[in-house]
Amino acid sequence: MDLLNQLQRQYTDFTTLLYQEGFVDDQFTQLQKLQDESSPDFVVEVVSLFFEDCEKLVNNMAKALEQQDVDFKQVDSHVHQLKGSSSSIGAARIKNVCVAFKTFCEAQNREGCLRCLQQVNHEHTQLKTNLQSLFTLERQIVANGGSIPVMQ
């Protein structure tokens, strides 16, 4: 099997794994479908903006939860923003953690919020690593004259 076929097979297998393990959902596929020759880096750019936004929101949540009197409405607002942006790019695991996070905000449960914040950080790191690997495979496929396999 030549290098290009190997890279395309790796890409397909890795993408399948990301879906099976719940890192991404169908919204990620919809995002990929918006990419074309006129905007070849569209997904990378959108995902990069998501990660920047995610890091800011996580930092804001952490600061709010460190306060003596936690403003749970403020934390909930940040969680709501993160849930929306993670949902829009198909970051399924982060979105799911946000659902639980919102419940702890409503209950004004600081410990529950802190656990969710840790989980968001964990999922963010894992997703970022996985998507960076996926984008590296995409660049290698294109550099070898191939096209990115389309996932159904």
Side-chain angles (χ1 to χ4, degrees):
M1 187 184 291
D2 68 359
L3 178 62
L4 182 57
N5 284 337
Q6 283 180 322
L7 289 169
Q8 288 173 324
R9 166 57 67 189
Q10 278 182 302
Y11 178 88
T12 302
D13 291 347
F14 190 64
T15 303
T16 300
L17 186 70
L18 292 178
Y19 281 93
Q20 287 175 342
E21 292 190 3
F23 285 103
V24 295
D25 60 24
D26 291 338
Q27 189 61 37
F28 187 72
T29 305
Q30 296 303 315
L31 185 67
Q32 289 176 309
K33 287 179 181 177
L34 295 174
Q35 183 166 293
D36 58 21
E37 290 87 31
S38 66
S39 57
D41 296 326
F42 177 75
V43 175
V44 171
E45 290 169 7
V46 170
V47 168
S48 295
L49 289 171
F50 165 75
F51 285 124
E52 286 174 26
D53 190 43
C54 183
E55 288 165 19
K56 288 177 191 167
L57 290 168
V58 165
N59 287 335
N60 290 339
M61 288 185 271
K63 286 177 187 168
L65 289 168
E66 288 171 3
Q67 301 303 311
Q68 185 69 29
D69 292 322
V70 176
D71 182 348
F72 286 99
K73 284 189 193 305
Q74 181 188 35
V75 176
D76 185 64
S77 174
H78 295 312
V79 173
H80 184 76
Q81 254 184 293
L82 182 57
K83 182 177 172 247
S85 59
S86 59
S87 182
S88 71
I89 70 150
R93 284 188 177 188
I94 293 175
K95 178 189 72 176
N96 292 339
V97 173
C98 288
V99 171
F101 206 150
K102 285 182 73 58
T103 302
F104 286 119
C105 285
E106 290 165 11
Q108 299 191 357
N109 181 331
R110 179 190 230 134
E111 291 306 312
C113 287
L114 289 170
R115 283 193 307 274
C116 285
L117 184 62
Q118 279 185 317
Q119 189 65 30
V120 165
N121 271 321
H122 175 74
E123 296 300 344
H124 167 267
T125 301
Q126 283 196 302
L127 181 64
K128 190 171 188 176
T129 300
N130 284 328
L131 291 182
Q132 285 172 337
S133 296
L134 185 71
F135 298 151
T136 298
L137 277 171
E138 286 180 357
R139 285 191 298 277
Q140 290 172 334
I141 290 168
V142 171
N144 283 282
S147 58
I148 309 301
V150 177
M151 300 304 289
Q152 300 300 330

